[in-house]
Amino acid sequence: MKISIHYFSWIREAIGVDAESFDLPDTVIDVRGLAIWLQGRHEKYGILLGNKVRCAVDQSFAHTDAPLSTGSEVAFFPPVTGG
């Protein structure tokens, strides 16, 4: 399954790129699985597993159990605050 990932703010800075595309193994079925798989590729992705990171799938806010499918667009970003 091929997906695209976008990183925003300090997450982008920590990972070192603003976007990537991957062809995922069949075992990656949700956002949490994606974050774990990415961390297995490089330790810098470990920040995606923290509770200070939010995500969206196909431009809608999502939880880490949100399913992924071919063509999904995943975004990781810091919590949004108002003020």
Side-chain angles (χ1 to χ4, degrees), residues 22-44:
F22 291 104
D23 194 7
L24 300 177
D26 293 339
T27 56
V28 178
I29 61 170
D30 58 18
V31 174
R32 181 164 178 72
L34 170 63
I36 292 168
W37 181 79
L38 287 168
Q39 184 180 26
R41 292 177 50 84
H42 194 282
E43 64 188 27
K44 66 184 176 183

Side-chain angles (χ1 to χ4, degrees), residues 2-54:
K2 186 147 183 125
I3 65 159
S4 60
I5 308 170
H6 300 274
Y7 308 103
F8 295 93
S9 189
W10 57 264
I11 298 167
R12 175 186 60 233
E13 309 252 335
I15 292 176
V17 297
D18 60 354
E20 300 180 286
S21 292
F22 291 104
D23 194 7
L24 300 177
D26 293 339
T27 56
V28 178
I29 61 170
D30 58 18
V31 174
R32 181 164 178 72
L34 170 63
I36 292 168
W37 181 79
L38 287 168
Q39 184 180 26
R41 292 177 50 84
H42 194 282
E43 64 188 27
K44 66 184 176 183
Y45 292 100
I47 63 169
L48 301 177
L49 294 168
N51 61 2
K52 294 184 179 185
V53 174
R54 300 294 178 251

Side-chain angles (χ1 to χ4, degrees), residues 4 6 8 55-62 71-77:
S4 60
H6 300 274
F8 295 93
C55 66
V57 176
D58 298 327
Q59 301 182 6
S60 293
F61 288 110
S72 286
E73 178 185 70
V74 179
F76 290 102
F77 49 90

